[in-house]
Amino acid sequence: MQAAAPILAIDRLVVAPAAGGAPVVDGISLAVSPGEVLALIGESGSGKTTLALAALGYVRPGLAVRSGRIRLGATDLLGAGEAKLQDLRGRRATYIAQSAAASFNPALRLDAQVTEPARVHRLRPLAEALAKARLLYRRLDLPEPERIGQRFPHEVSGGQLQRFMIAMGLIEGPQLVVCDEPTSALDVTTQVEVLKAFKAVIRDGSTAGLFVSHDLAVVAQLADRIIVLRRGALVEQGTTEAILAAPQEPYTRELIAACRRWDRRRPASPPRVAACAAAPARLEVVDVTAGFGPREPMTGRPTITAVDAAALAVRPREVVAIIGESGSGKSTLAQVIAGLHPAAAGEIRLDGAALAPAVARRSLDQRRRVQIVFQMADTALNPRHRVGRIIGRALAFFGRAPRARRPARIAELLALVRLPASYAERRPGELSGGEKQRVNLARALAAEPDVLICDEITSALDTVVAAAIVRLVEDLRDRLGLAVLFISHDLATVATLADRVVVMRRGKIVERGPTGELLARPTHPYTRLLLASVPELRIGWLEEAAGRRAALLPEFAETGAAPVADVDRGREDAHAG
Amino acid sequence: MHPSLRFALRRFAVGALILLAVSLLVFVGCEILPGDVAQVALGQFATPESIRALHQQFGLDRPAPLRYLEWLIGILHGDWGMSMGTKVPVAQLLGERLANTAMLAGATTIVAIPLALALGLLMALRAGSRFDRAASVVVLALSATPEFLIGTLAVMLFSVHLNWLPAVAQVTFGGGWAALARSLLLPVITLSIVVAAQIARMTRATIVNLLDLPFIEMATLKGVPRRRIILVHALINAVGPIANVVALNIAYLVSGIVVVETIFAFPGVARLMVDAVQARDLPVVQACAMLFCFAYVVLILAADLLAVLFNPRLRRGIHPDGSAG
Amino acid sequence: MSAANEALSPPARGPRNALFAVAAGVLVAWALIAVLAPLLVPHDPTDFVSDDPFAAPSRIAWLGTDYLGRDLFSRLIAGARISLFMAFLATLLAHLLGGTLGLMAAVRGGLFDAAVSRIVDIALSLPKIIVGLVVVAAIGTSMTVLVIVAGLVYAAGVFRIARALGADVAVMDFIRAARARGEGAAWLIFGEILPNIIMPLAADFAIRMSFAILFMSSLSFIGLGVQPPRADWGGLVRENLSALSAGSWAPIFPALAIASVAIALNLLVDAIGDRRQLARIRDE
């Protein structure tokens, strides 16, 4: 493959802020041959998106190319004028963006947008382009390929929209497709479908791919070669086999370890389950139903049911994981337990005593004993308050430390989440994502809780950072004897952490059991589908997964795409009414 | 029912309810005053007899809710009651003045809007350029300038120094179109400057914000030429918000009209209302207030409907930010 | 996410700093003039300094005299005090009332929010100057009436802004965390939300004050605002309007004063503020 003349050749490229400052891309060289897929792996701030956009001769406003060369075939992109770039974009090189929802014009029909490259480049009659688009829709497994393109972007689901984006990228048979995290915003079950369709289409021709991702496991399924980036610099490159089997650089090894750790074939040690099974339940969720919109007069149920008769229990020193995709009701359940979203029916019990549905009716001590940590570390800390004040408020509010003892206690809590005491003086804006999440945990721990609810606390974090947070939660459980309810969309995340797993789908609990058992022998078809969809860090997984999925009930083979949008839209209607 | 039709009907119903509430406020506002309507209307020389006579003539001795209903029903028939000061039906006073004010507002709309849209679009296309930065400051300054400064400066320049145009608007339909245009020119220029500045600012902001969105970058990466990006991708999304901006700013004309009719002694509804307020001729005040509120509510309603019509998401009853309207 | 991290904030805007300095300078100067007015006037604003109405500027009357032969410069300074204090008080009233209610609506939601929002909807569908006219027709005019009317009229707009700003913050997780602790509305509003929206509210205050100045000068200009012998800037324009036909600039100076404050307030916000915020304020 390396023998052929490269389609894309980037030579010692330096991109930096136009106003001056440290380079975002710092002297990177790479080449992509026809038919080859090269993956760029990196965490946020690695410069991978800037590098990917440069492959189309595009630099975002505020950035400028300092030096280097970019060639697409024989064309020098940095020397090319706007007209020349226009001519090759959408034709010879195309771009598939991360957020399909934001990248489609909300006011134009999908057909018009997918066929627009043909229209602006005057390559072929519109009817022919439309026929090609429909062919792609069919190959990408979009329902009703003849008609679906007549819809507006907001009328299809997220997974479907991502497939339209792929169709738009491939319609003119480009020499190079640049994909920027094309599946990161999707649920895992949807991701497999999109990856499979994408791979099938791209493998057919001589199209080369530049694939940007933070997820090694996803990349392993598609890429021939991998480049690892960090802070704008190239860390390591090699064939996918070589990188996975024999990484040379410590950073690469760290990345791989963070993925390997979550291999489902090595679940948590079973003895722990037996150990805590004897203790009485600390937190009990008894047949809780909750939702949005006005109650139905006959049944007393909300119009949109988000949680449907859910029941579970968490014992001290135990981690119970709730797994579900968007729209499964898992976060609503977390809020019901925290008293932020009163249930329509059912009961929450703490050490056997029922808690009031609304937080305002719970006693100070009850509120203190149940603490919740949220997904978005960024928005969970008041940007105007210093860390010391954020934690101090919780201490003062629950009367856990007299004023004089407070600074010392804040330092203790910061130490508990492995942050230096000096962080008390910082504002959230001065912390990284992982550090913010640690402060969130510290604030919850300030209340000295018995129950800790973690609502997707690792979902917005980079892989390595997320792994560290999981280890921290594990550690806190052991040291403080917490009962932890760990909510996640990702089975892999909880595989090593959780003692027991509860799987939710469309508001209902479909399966539960000790982690090892459930991962090894899932009984419910949805659990099997979910398990089959979690990307694994090995080549060939995608094909196996697709095979396994096809064998599952047809009912679940189609679910990947649809339910997300249904639930979201239903919720909006409920607010309207 | 089609969602946009349902939305339109709901907005109409809300508009009607608001007008009803406004009528109540106007009536009550003029009703609950310290002292007596007739006393106030007749001033300090009123005798008990004349007050009583006025009471009877205007039925002021009957309960207020009843008079409110009669007033409301009268309005629906085009009967605005009698002026207390001149003892002439209010409808007769309104007559020609309504046409004059409508003409002033209409002419301003015709002059200001194309000008403002063109300027706003031009600024947006060259966002960040020297032209844009200079125009932005000028337009911002003009939009905060009181009409009476522009009006007095215009009079100073065109009437006093150049002696081209009359300082006082003598609106006569008999004098032919040329005379009419001459007397309208200064008031229209004065109003247009402020309104056009506002619309140009908001048009620019709307388009510039749109050009920042990811789908515009995506279009660039598809190889769509800049001209087509702006004319197709940006404008189709901008039409709704801009239509909205235009309708709102025509509504805001009301306060400008009040000032401009005063500067130029323009015989319109606003001038009538100001005189009536000074004379405390409440039936006339009520009628003028209702007319202005009606125009305002209708324009705001139009702004709402336009925003919905041009947005395929709103059209189906779903707000772009995810919450339903 | 990575896009946001990798994209950079635009470079600082240089020329805007000059505008900012000019606007701030104008406002500080007027504020000082308003506070120190009694010390600054060369003549008593009600004294006759010349036998001629609309006398040309001279060493005695720097800007000439008004329609009664009084010193226009002194009247302009005295008018500054009236115009600026009234506008400031009205805006303060609007913010105290509208801001508090708006943030309460954002935090509490439910029936309270619905009820106040409907009232505000109605208030906002009334043209402000017409409200002013009707109130003056009903209860007459005075400086107190003007301030209260302007304060109430603009409170509706402040409510909308404060509610929208507050609602944006109220859905954030740090507010949910505070709610989960069981914090009361007062802490949520003043401890958590207000520090995050203080800049946009300050911007709103400035813009709103420019509206209030224009509103009250307009009422005075049409003869229904501040009554003689006192005069705010709008009243000064009205008093001297007849000078125009004689070619005198007497009505133009006070009009320029109003414009200078209103423009400076807008430029100030434009230079420091978020544009989208500004558009939002103007939208209602």
Side-chain angles (χ1 to χ4, degrees):
Chain A
M1 264 178 211
Q2 289 292 309
I7 286 292
L8 173 73
I10 293 180
D11 188 23
R12 281 165 295 175
L13 182 71
V14 179
V15 182
V24 179
V25 171
D26 198 359
I28 290 178
S29 303
L30 60 85
V32 189
S33 308
E36 183 190 35
V37 176
L38 173 67
L40 301 176
I41 280 280
E43 306 192 329
S44 39
S46 63
K48 56 189 194 294
T49 294
T50 307
L51 190 55
L53 287 170
L56 288 102
Y58 182 81
V59 180
R60 287 212 164 119
L63 293 175
V65 174
R66 286 253 185 89
S67 63
R69 272 157 49 116
I70 308 167
R71 299 182 75 89
L72 186 74
T75 317
D76 174 16
L77 294 191
L78 294 180
E82 199 55 34
K84 195 149 198 183
L85 288 175
Q86 247 166 41
D87 180 56
L88 65 89
R89 287 177 189 155
R91 192 169 63 85
R92 287 173 59 199
T94 59
Y95 185 71
I96 295 173
Q98 173 172 14
S99 166
S103 300
F104 275 101
N105 189 327
L108 295 175
R109 292 180 196 278
L110 288 162
D111 271 344
Q113 301 194 58
V114 171
T115 58
E116 195 174 16
R119 186 194 295 264
V120 297
H121 294 116
R122 296 180 215 281
L123 296 171
R124 54 172 113 200
L126 205 58
E128 199 185 311
L130 213 53
K132 176 79 191 290
R134 289 186 178 147
L135 187 72
L136 279 167
Y137 298 162
R138 193 180 302 279
R139 290 181 54 200
L140 289 163
D141 286 328
L142 282 165
E144 297 187 84
E146 299 301 315
R147 298 225 316 271
I148 192 168
Q150 282 302 303
R151 300 194 191 170
F152 284 100
H154 67 275
E155 294 172 323
V156 301
S157 72
Q160 288 168 346
L161 204 54
Q162 205 65 47
R163 281 179 252 189
F164 275 103
M165 174 81 74
I166 292 171
M168 189 159 79
L170 296 174
I171 188 161
E172 293 308 328
Q175 297 165 313
L176 176 72
V177 187
V178 178
C179 308
D180 189 0
E181 305 254 13
T183 59
S184 302
L186 303 177
D187 279 330
V188 276
T189 53
T190 315
Q191 172 172 274
V192 178
E193 296 294 330
V194 174
L195 282 178
K196 191 183 70 178
F198 179 68
K199 188 168 185 178
V201 178
I202 202 168
R203 279 295 173 218
D204 271 9
S206 62
T207 301
L210 187 63
F211 195 98
V212 173
S213 180
H214 69 281
D215 190 343
L216 256 177
V218 165
V219 158
Q221 311 312 317
L222 293 173
D224 300 305
R225 282 192 303 128
I226 294 177
I227 286 182
V228 182
L229 296 175
R230 191 181 199 192
R231 293 185 196 138
L234 192 150
V235 174
E236 183 170 359
Q237 66 173 318
T239 62
T240 305
E241 290 88 345
I243 293 273
L244 295 190
Q248 301 300 309
E249 297 294 320
Y251 178 68
T252 314
R253 276 189 226 129
E254 205 182 333
L255 268 182
I256 290 173
C259 287
R260 287 263 190 244
R261 216 181 119 73
W262 297 345
D263 192 328
R264 72 183 170 91
R265 286 169 302 181
R266 291 190 298 153
S269 49
R272 279 192 46 80
V273 179
C276 48
R282 175 133 283 164
L283 176 78
E284 280 173 279
V285 173
V286 186
D287 295 331
V288 161
T289 295
F292 302 89
R295 304 256 184 107
E296 309 252 338
M298 299 300 288
T299 58
R301 290 163 64 97
T303 322
I304 311 294
T305 308
V307 179
D308 193 354
L312 58 88
V314 192
R315 299 175 183 86
R317 292 185 187 285
E318 183 185 41
V319 177
V320 173
I322 301 182
I323 294 294
E325 297 186 299
S326 24
S328 65
K330 58 189 190 304
S331 280
T332 307
L333 182 56
Q335 294 191 43
V336 169
I337 297 170
L340 292 172
H341 186 112
E347 215 170 66
I348 308 293
R349 291 185 198 142
L350 186 62
D351 280 336
L355 293 177
V359 72
R361 297 279 167 80
R362 296 181 184 174
S363 73
L364 185 71
D365 198 52
Q366 285 172 335
R367 294 194 304 252
R368 177 187 70 75
R369 293 180 59 199
V370 180
Q371 289 293 311
I372 182 165
V373 181
F374 297 102
Q375 170 180 6
M376 302 306 288
D378 286 340
T379 64
L381 300 174
N382 192 332
R384 297 279 161 185
H385 293 174
R386 291 179 196 283
V387 168
R389 185 170 182 207
I390 290 168
I391 299 174
R393 176 70 192 179
L395 284 174
F397 188 84
F398 292 116
R400 298 323 281 182
R403 187 177 290 272
R405 266 266 305 146
R406 235 169 262 161
R409 180 69 183 138
I410 291 170
E412 274 172 39
L413 287 163
L414 285 172
L416 201 58
V417 295
R418 313 267 154 76
L419 288 176
S422 61
Y423 272 45
E425 289 307 310
R426 296 205 183 180
R427 288 187 201 278
E430 302 165 65
L431 306 180
S432 71
E435 288 167 345
K436 281 180 206 163
Q437 206 55 292
R438 286 169 194 270
V439 173
N440 278 320
L441 281 165
R443 173 176 56 193
L445 296 176
E448 297 172 30
D450 293 325
V451 176
L452 185 67
I453 305 165
C454 300
D455 187 1
E456 298 253 29
I457 62 170
T458 59
S459 310
L461 301 177
D462 285 324
T463 323
V464 175
V465 181
I469 293 286
V470 166
R471 280 196 298 275
L472 177 62
V473 171
E474 209 166 17
D475 175 54
L476 292 173
R477 169 199 64 191
D478 295 340
R479 283 167 64 177
L480 305 174
L482 297 172
V484 180
L485 193 60
F486 195 94
I487 289 155
S488 177
H489 67 279
D490 184 5
L491 255 175
T493 309
V494 304
T496 53
L497 172 68
D499 301 299
R500 290 187 296 126
V501 174
V502 168
V503 181
M504 279 186 83
R505 178 167 186 267
R506 296 186 184 174
K508 289 205 163 90
I509 292 178
V510 296
E511 186 165 6
R512 68 180 76 221
T515 310
E517 225 167 274
L518 187 127
L519 294 183
R521 286 177 297 281
T523 53
H524 193 276
Y526 178 69
T527 314
R528 297 218 291 265
L529 178 80
L530 209 54
L531 268 173
S533 306
V534 178
E536 287 173 29
L537 193 54
R538 60 194 167 85
I539 296 161
W541 167 82
L542 182 63
E543 287 69 23
E544 279 174 38
R548 266 203 305 274
R549 290 165 56 88
L552 288 168
L553 291 175
E555 179 200 343
F556 290 100
E558 256 306 299
T559 49
V564 185
D566 288 350
V567 170
D568 287 350
R569 204 157 294 158
R571 200 172 291 167
E572 285 159 10
D573 288 343
H575 285 308
Chain B
M1 204 184 327
H2 193 273
S4 49
L5 186 63
R6 198 170 56 200
F7 179 86
L9 286 179
R10 219 173 72 186
R11 294 302 305 172
F12 275 121
V14 169
L17 276 177
I18 285 180
L19 277 177
L20 196 67
V22 167
S23 73
L24 196 63
L25 283 177
V26 166
F27 187 82
V28 171
C30 291
E31 213 46 42
I32 301 183
L33 54 161
D36 182 276
V37 187
Q39 172 84 58
V40 168
L42 293 172
Q44 52 188 347
F45 306 113
T47 60
E49 290 77 41
S50 60
I51 291 178
R52 209 171 306 125
L54 203 66
H55 265 238
Q56 272 177 355
Q57 190 184 350
F58 286 89
L60 292 176
D61 39 4
R62 293 183 304 129
L66 193 66
R67 278 184 291 126
Y68 170 66
L69 280 181
E70 284 173 0
W71 177 67
L72 204 59
I73 292 166
I75 289 178
L76 294 176
H77 291 91
D79 172 13
W80 298 91
M82 294 278 270
S83 157
M84 280 184 172
T86 56
K87 306 287 186 318
V88 179
V90 176
Q92 195 180 320
L93 286 175
L94 285 172
E96 200 168 82
R97 286 162 169 268
L98 197 55
N100 289 346
T101 296
M103 201 159 56
L104 181 59
T108 303
T109 307
I110 292 169
V111 171
I113 286 170
L115 204 75
L117 293 182
L119 182 61
L121 197 64
L122 216 61
M123 286 161 72
L125 292 187
R126 305 204 183 150
S129 69
R130 193 171 295 187
F131 162 76
D132 171 48
R133 279 177 305 179
S136 290
V137 172
V138 170
V139 157
L140 176 66
L142 285 178
S143 69
T145 306
E147 286 87 356
F148 44 78
L149 175 61
I150 298 172
T152 48
L153 282 174
V155 168
M156 195 68 156
L157 182 64
F158 294 108
S159 306
V160 178
H161 283 291
L162 297 172
N163 211 3
W164 287 351
L165 295 163
V168 170
Q170 302 289 349
V171 184
T172 44
F173 288 90
W177 288 106
L180 188 66
R182 272 173 64 82
S183 54
L184 270 176
L185 202 54
L186 281 187
V188 167
I189 289 176
T190 305
L191 277 177
S192 295
I193 288 178
V194 179
V195 174
Q198 285 277 22
I199 296 179
R201 266 185 71 79
M202 289 157 93
T203 302
R204 178 194 179 277
T206 304
I207 296 178
V208 166
N209 284 346
L210 269 172
L211 290 178
D212 257 357
L213 293 178
F215 68 79
I216 297 292
E217 179 176 83
M218 187 66 216
T220 310
L221 293 171
K222 279 200 297 190
V224 180
R226 177 95 180 146
R227 199 159 33 94
R228 185 179 155 89
I229 287 181
I230 285 163
L231 293 181
V232 175
H233 287 272
L235 224 48
I236 196 173
N237 287 287
V239 169
I242 290 175
N244 190 300
V245 162
V246 168
L248 282 178
N249 278 287
I250 301 174
Y252 296 157
L253 263 181
V254 170
S255 98
I257 284 177
V258 172
V259 171
V260 163
E261 289 193 3
T262 305
I263 299 176
F264 298 99
F266 188 91
V269 183
R271 186 85 209 118
L272 177 69
M273 184 173 180
V274 170
D275 290 343
V277 170
Q278 261 149 359
R280 299 219 147 164
D281 190 344
L282 293 180
V284 178
V285 173
Q286 287 172 337
C288 295
M290 279 310 290
L291 281 175
F292 278 121
C293 290
F294 179 76
Y296 198 77
V297 169
V298 166
L299 283 164
I300 287 178
L301 185 66
D304 268 9
L305 291 178
L306 284 170
V308 173
L309 275 179
F310 285 100
N311 186 334
R313 296 223 254 176
L314 285 174
R315 216 153 52 204
R316 280 153 219 256
I318 297 166
H319 245 270
D321 59 11
S323 67
Chain C
M1 229 37 235
S2 62
N5 288 332
E6 287 177 27
L8 288 134
S9 49
R13 295 165 293 181
R16 297 217 159 252
N17 289 338
L19 276 179
F20 175 80
V22 171
V26 168
L27 291 174
V28 168
W30 277 124
L32 284 175
I33 289 171
V35 172
L36 304 173
L39 305 175
L40 295 176
V41 288
H43 306 280
D44 187 304
T46 52
D47 273 359
F48 303 97
V49 297
S50 162
D51 295 336
D52 297 328
F54 304 134
S58 66
R59 213 169 323 145
I60 298 169
W62 298 346
L63 295 177
T65 62
D66 76 347
Y67 72 116
L68 290 176
R70 293 172 294 193
D71 176 30
L72 193 58
F73 179 74
S74 300
R75 288 185 69 74
L76 196 66
I77 303 273
R81 188 166 222 201
I82 302 175
S83 274
L84 295 178
F85 271 131
M86 278 173 51
F88 181 78
L89 284 179
T91 314
L92 195 64
L93 175 63
H95 264 258
L96 288 179
L97 186 68
T100 310
L101 287 176
L103 290 180
M104 271 170 71
V107 166
R108 294 178 60 175
L111 208 61
F112 176 81
D113 179 23
V116 183
S117 290
R118 288 300 85 75
I119 294 170
V120 164
D121 284 348
I122 292 176
L124 285 175
S125 54
L126 300 170
K128 297 179 174 54
I129 193 110
I130 301 301
V131 175
L133 289 177
V134 169
V135 170
V136 169
I139 59 179
T141 185
S142 73
M143 279 165 40
T144 317
V145 168
L146 286 177
V147 167
I148 290 174
V149 169
L152 290 178
V153 156
Y154 286 110
V158 178
F159 172 87
R160 275 240 176 127
I161 298 292
R163 181 180 172 279
L165 289 170
D168 284 352
V169 178
V171 297
M172 292 209 182
D173 285 343
F174 66 84
I175 297 294
R176 290 206 296 164
R179 285 186 201 272
R181 281 203 300 273
E183 297 274 9
W187 169 262
L188 290 179
I189 292 176
F190 298 107
E192 303 274 359
I193 296 180
L194 200 57
N196 285 289
I197 60 170
I198 199 77
M199 278 311 287
L201 278 185
D204 180 81
F205 192 96
I207 302 279
R208 199 75 59 184
M209 187 165 153
S210 80
F211 292 165
I213 288 179
L214 294 178
F215 172 79
M216 290 194 277
S217 341
S218 292
L219 276 178
S220 290
F221 174 73
I222 56 182
L224 300 171
V226 178
Q227 296 299 307
R230 276 200 207 143
D232 65 344
W233 286 340
L236 287 176
V237 181
R238 174 190 178 77
E239 284 177 356
N240 300 306
L241 198 56
S242 59
L244 265 189
S245 49
S248 161
W249 282 69
I252 302 214
F253 294 124
L256 274 174
I258 298 166
S260 72
V261 173
I263 292 172
L265 283 167
N266 278 274
L267 283 179
L268 190 76
V269 172
D270 194 61
I272 56 171
D274 176 1
R275 303 302 190 63
R276 227 168 286 172
Q277 176 58 26
L278 199 64
R280 207 171 180 183
I281 297 169
R282 288 175 189 285
D283 252 2
E284 54 68 29

